[in-house]
Amino acid sequence: MNPTSHATTQDLGDIRTVLEEDVLAVNELIIKRMDSPIEMIPNLAKHLVMAGGKRVRPKLALTVSRLLGHSADAHIKLAACIEFIHTATLLHDDVVDGSALRRGRATANILWGNQASILVGDFLFSRAFVLMVEMGSLEILNVLSVAASRIAEGEVMQLMNQGNVDASLESYFEMIEAKTAKLFEAAAEAGVLIAKPADEALRLKFKEFGRCLGLAFQIVDDVLDYDYTNVVSGKKAGTDFEEGKITLPLIYAYENASISERNRLREMFEQPASLRAEAFTGMADYIKQSGALLRAHDVAVGYANKACEILADLPPSEGKELLLEIAYGSAMRHA
Amino acid sequence: MNPTSHATTQDLGDIRTVLEEDVLAVNELIIKRMDSPIEMIPNLAKHLVMAGGKRVRPKLALTVSRLLGHSADAHIKLAACIEFIHTATLLHDDVVDGSALRRGRATANILWGNQASILVGDFLFSRAFVLMVEMGSLEILNVLSVAASRIAEGEVMQLMNQGNVDASLESYFEMIEAKTAKLFEAAAEAGVLIAKPADEALRLKFKEFGRCLGLAFQIVDDVLDYDYTNVVSGKKAGTDFEEGKITLPLIYAYENASISERNRLREMFEQPASLRAEAFTGMADYIKQSGALLRAHDVAVGYANKACEILADLPPSEGKELLLEIAYGSAMRHA
């Protein structure tokens, strides 16, 4: 049996087993297509890609396409593309943020340097497009290239909002919609394009499902950053705060703060990052006690609920259950 | 008259005028498609794109497609894509190299910071693919995505060879072939794909023309870096040397150096960049006097000649003359 082969609709009886095999096939393809005669490239890329990421985005694309009856191989390439785009942005993010820890390990920029991380990110990003071109669908290429340019816009928005405690709720949502939700949206949309390319209504439905899921996912990420007693995320808590990122818990806390508390928060973000790092646990306790953390988490749960409601009119199936699990799982990661 | 319209074959009598109009249309499209509601993106991108670059790569694609009788609009988009990819790599290069000067002006990383340069590079790169998808040719997408991943490999090779005075001639040529010649090759190849998509022989011919032109171009760039009395390049001479890049003039000088001179060169590249900067004019004089600079330039002229020979069997035309001018112009930039 060909090691890269995987289950088809003939044996779709147990979609969970099929999808587990799909994920293995995706991992195999990722390893194969990140290869290069320049050894440092696969070494650096593997360090991040094989560090036990959750593969939420590729799983989303796989599950949507399987749920809609896709049985050929294109979804494996699609899922690998999406993970390549995601990995490229992580490599660049870690340089931009000066991060030292990701998925519980030292970041590539710490181990190989910023320069290598930038260039290997570019390599993976290009390889994502090479894979996409092989898939041969201009529609999927359109969805993913537009998503990629929107992600970059979201990252720039984030950079420009750094340290700005007056950042509005609207600008926060615009930013996370671009930097995070867009790729979830594109993954779900492309999953439909692979399985049912002509069904515009399905496409819009799953696109919106992906968007809501992505918003829930990012907000939970932002909540977890202040939840320092929690160790499931693999990220060091307090990272966003240290880097001066203004996220939903902080926006809510600021909204309800007294004038003197607001001044304290403002001063906090005018300090050097090292002083913020020292002040983190006090700040996290304050944000938790203010109710802002729970309020932000409620918003995430709201988006997860919305995502699930979107699928309400689909007939019951194992595939649908899996999507609901992904949605609730994203909103419940701190449990 | 529509300001973005431009000449077609009906008035191809004077191809130089037509191409001048094409370049204006390309510039207009570039400005339009680098736009974003996040103001910093077009501001940063314009700083580099509108700094008076020579547009050699887009001109190559335009000229090839016009020479082969292309009369529709696709070449304008193609040329803009190519310039976007080139600009994205320049932005990332300047971060990787810590460069302060490009095209005679302060670099974007100096003015807006490394973080913004990385992210706006990603944005332009994504937008290049959005444009390509609009062109609708999977073959062109294939040529340019493969080229982009090869460019990233070349940049990583360059990074890994930094300071290695024992770098071989082979590794130098492999590196410049990837980081520079590949985009010239792709520009010429894609120019054929637009005009004569079915003609495989033409495609291979122009591809090789682009490759040789790109090699000539890069070698001259590397020569100019040691030619500090020359001020035409807009780059500060000595930059490669300061950054520890091992280029052809240095490889030739090292090849012919005595043991004591080799040790001196080796020590030179073990020093911090600031000490190399101080030692630059002495080193440049040494490399010039050793004959290595002229020898490297001869190799560039050899590639320019080879490029021109490749076109020898094409009937005489204004378009062909223009391509020969581009080839010789690239090899004679220091004149």
Side-chain angles (χ1 to χ4, degrees):
Chain A
M1 191 182 153
N2 182 330
T4 62
S5 79
H6 53 272
T8 61
T9 36
Q10 280 78 52
D11 46 352
L12 257 179
D14 183 2
I15 193 174
R16 281 172 205 270
T17 313
V18 170
L19 280 165
E20 274 168 29
E21 285 174 28
D22 281 350
V23 170
L24 293 178
V26 171
N27 283 342
E28 213 171 313
L29 186 62
I30 285 175
I31 292 286
K32 198 171 151 199
R33 300 307 294 273
M34 67 167 51
D35 203 19
S36 161
I38 324 301
E39 282 174 33
M40 194 241 264
I41 293 177
N43 289 346
L44 188 157
K46 264 181 210 163
H47 172 79
L48 176 54
V49 170
M50 293 296 126
K54 296 170 294 295
R55 304 270 191 276
V56 184
R57 297 158 190 81
K59 276 181 189 163
L60 174 59
L62 293 171
T63 311
V64 169
S65 66
R66 285 297 197 185
L67 169 71
L68 300 178
H70 174 71
S71 63
D73 267 352
H75 65 316
I76 304 297
K77 276 196 180 169
L78 170 64
C81 284
I82 290 167
E83 193 66 5
F84 274 2
I85 292 176
H86 176 55
T87 308
T89 63
L90 291 186
L91 285 173
H92 288 184
D93 278 1
D94 285 343
V95 173
V96 167
D97 295 337
S99 306
L101 205 64
R102 159 91 60 191
R103 293 175 182 168
R105 306 166 72 178
T107 51
N109 44 308
I110 293 294
L111 296 174
W112 283 272
N114 284 342
Q115 301 164 311
S117 288
I118 295 170
L119 299 175
V120 175
D122 290 347
F123 173 80
L124 292 178
F125 197 64
S126 309
R127 278 285 166 98
F129 279 94
V130 172
L131 271 173
M132 256 180 262
V133 173
E134 288 175 16
M135 290 173 62
S137 158
L138 283 167
E139 270 199 294
I140 290 176
L141 273 157
N142 179 45
V143 165
L144 288 173
S145 59
V146 168
S149 95
R150 197 74 191 124
I151 291 168
E153 287 184 315
E155 300 282 351
V156 175
M157 278 185 238
Q158 174 168 273
L159 185 64
M160 297 189 68
N161 263 339
Q162 238 160 28
N164 174 20
V165 286
D166 297 304
S168 64
L169 259 186
E170 288 69 28
S171 73
Y172 170 78
F173 278 103
E174 195 190 341
M175 187 257 293
I176 66 167
E177 176 122 20
K179 79 161 183 156
T180 308
K182 199 69 195 174
L183 191 56
F184 281 84
E185 184 185 299
E189 191 178 358
V192 177
L193 285 171
I194 273 190
K196 299 264 184 257
D199 194 327
E200 186 65 15
L202 265 187
R203 178 176 169 161
L204 291 177
K205 176 191 282 290
F206 280 96
K207 187 177 167 182
E208 181 63 7
F209 173 80
R211 191 183 77 92
C212 292
L213 169 56
L215 291 171
F217 190 91
Q218 183 58 55
I219 295 168
V220 170
D221 233 41
D222 293 345
V223 167
L224 284 171
D225 198 67
Y226 280 104
D227 193 9
Y228 65 90
T229 57
N230 190 299
V231 289
V232 295
S233 73
K235 265 175 72 183
K236 193 169 133 273
T239 311
D240 294 341
F241 176 67
E242 194 179 326
E243 290 161 4
K245 287 181 187 156
I246 308 298
T247 59
L248 194 56
L250 194 115
I251 292 174
Y252 282 151
Y254 188 77
E255 205 176 272
N256 286 326
S258 65
I259 292 182
S260 70
E261 284 171 331
R262 284 190 177 197
N263 286 335
R264 201 180 122 234
L265 284 168
R266 186 179 305 275
E267 280 161 21
M268 208 49 109
F269 282 95
E270 284 162 359
Q271 291 176 348
S274 59
L275 290 183
R276 260 197 308 281
E278 284 172 26
F280 171 64
T281 50
M283 175 58 62
D285 292 340
Y286 164 74
I287 288 191
K288 201 167 195 169
Q289 281 151 22
S290 76
L293 208 57
L294 211 60
R295 188 174 162 204
H297 190 251
D298 283 347
V299 175
V301 173
Y303 277 110
N305 280 331
K306 199 176 161 199
C308 295
E309 279 164 25
I310 290 165
L311 304 187
D313 61 354
L314 292 181
S317 73
E318 280 281 312
K320 180 179 170 183
E321 268 176 37
L322 266 170
L323 287 178
L324 301 182
E325 280 173 29
I326 293 176
Y328 283 120
S330 294
M332 296 296 168
R333 274 181 295 154
H334 73 314
Chain B
M1 189 183 156
N2 182 328
T4 62
S5 80
H6 53 273
T8 62
T9 37
Q10 279 79 51
D11 47 351
L12 257 180
D14 183 1
I15 193 173
R16 282 172 205 268
T17 313
V18 170
L19 281 165
E20 273 168 30
E21 285 174 28
D22 281 352
V23 170
L24 294 178
V26 171
N27 284 343
E28 212 171 315
L29 185 62
I30 285 175
I31 293 286
K32 198 172 151 196
R33 300 308 294 270
M34 67 168 50
D35 203 20
S36 161
I38 325 300
E39 281 174 33
M40 194 240 264
I41 294 177
N43 289 345
L44 189 156
K46 264 182 211 161
H47 173 78
L48 177 53
V49 170
M50 293 297 126
K54 296 170 293 295
R55 304 268 193 276
V56 184
R57 297 158 190 81
K59 277 181 189 165
L60 174 58
L62 294 172
T63 311
V64 169
S65 66
R66 285 295 196 186
L67 168 71
L68 299 178
H70 174 71
S71 62
D73 267 352
H75 65 314
I76 303 296
K77 275 196 179 170
L78 171 65
C81 284
I82 290 167
E83 193 66 4
F84 273 2
I85 292 176
H86 176 56
T87 307
T89 64
L90 291 186
L91 285 173
H92 287 184
D93 278 3
D94 285 342
V95 173
V96 167
D97 295 338
S99 306
L101 206 64
R102 157 93 59 194
R103 294 176 182 167
R105 306 166 72 178
T107 52
N109 44 307
I110 294 294
L111 296 174
W112 282 272
N114 283 341
Q115 301 165 310
S117 288
I118 295 171
L119 299 175
V120 176
D122 290 347
F123 173 80
L124 292 178
F125 197 64
S126 308
R127 278 285 165 98
F129 279 94
V130 172
L131 270 174
M132 258 180 261
V133 172
E134 288 175 16
M135 291 173 62
S137 158
L138 283 167
E139 270 199 294
I140 290 176
L141 273 156
N142 180 46
V143 166
L144 288 173
S145 60
V146 168
S149 96
R150 198 73 193 126
I151 291 167
E153 287 184 314
E155 300 281 351
V156 175
M157 279 185 239
Q158 174 169 273
L159 185 64
M160 298 188 69
N161 263 339
Q162 237 161 26
N164 174 21
V165 287
D166 298 304
S168 65
L169 259 186
E170 288 70 28
S171 72
Y172 170 79
F173 279 103
E174 195 190 340
M175 187 257 293
I176 66 166
E177 176 122 20
K179 79 161 183 156
T180 308
K182 199 70 196 172
L183 191 55
F184 282 83
E185 185 185 298
E189 192 179 356
V192 176
L193 284 172
I194 272 190
K196 299 264 184 254
D199 194 329
E200 186 64 15
L202 265 187
R203 176 176 170 161
L204 291 177
K205 177 190 281 290
F206 280 97
K207 186 178 168 180
E208 180 63 7
F209 172 80
R211 191 184 76 93
C212 292
L213 168 56
L215 291 171
F217 190 91
Q218 183 59 56
I219 296 168
V220 170
D221 232 41
D222 293 345
V223 166
L224 284 171
D225 197 67
Y226 281 104
D227 193 9
Y228 65 89
T229 56
N230 190 301
V231 289
V232 294
S233 73
K235 264 175 71 183
K236 192 169 134 273
T239 310
D240 295 341
F241 177 67
E242 192 178 328
E243 290 162 2
K245 286 181 188 156
I246 308 298
T247 59
L248 195 56
L250 195 115
I251 292 173
Y252 282 150
Y254 188 77
E255 205 176 273
N256 286 326
S258 65
I259 292 181
S260 70
E261 284 171 330
R262 284 190 176 196
N263 287 336
R264 200 180 123 236
L265 283 169
R266 187 180 304 276
E267 281 161 20
M268 206 52 108
F269 281 95
E270 286 160 357
Q271 292 176 349
S274 59
L275 290 181
R276 261 199 307 283
E278 284 172 25
F280 171 64
T281 51
M283 175 58 63
D285 292 340
Y286 164 75
I287 288 191
K288 200 167 197 169
Q289 280 151 24
S290 76
L293 209 57
L294 212 58
R295 190 176 162 203
H297 190 251
D298 282 349
V299 174
V301 173
Y303 277 111
N305 281 330
K306 201 176 159 197
C308 295
E309 279 163 25
I310 289 164
L311 304 187
D313 62 353
L314 292 181
S317 72
E318 280 279 313
K320 180 180 170 180
E321 266 176 40
L322 265 171
L323 287 178
L324 301 182
E325 279 172 29
I326 293 176
Y328 282 120
S330 294
M332 296 296 169
R333 273 181 294 155
H334 73 316

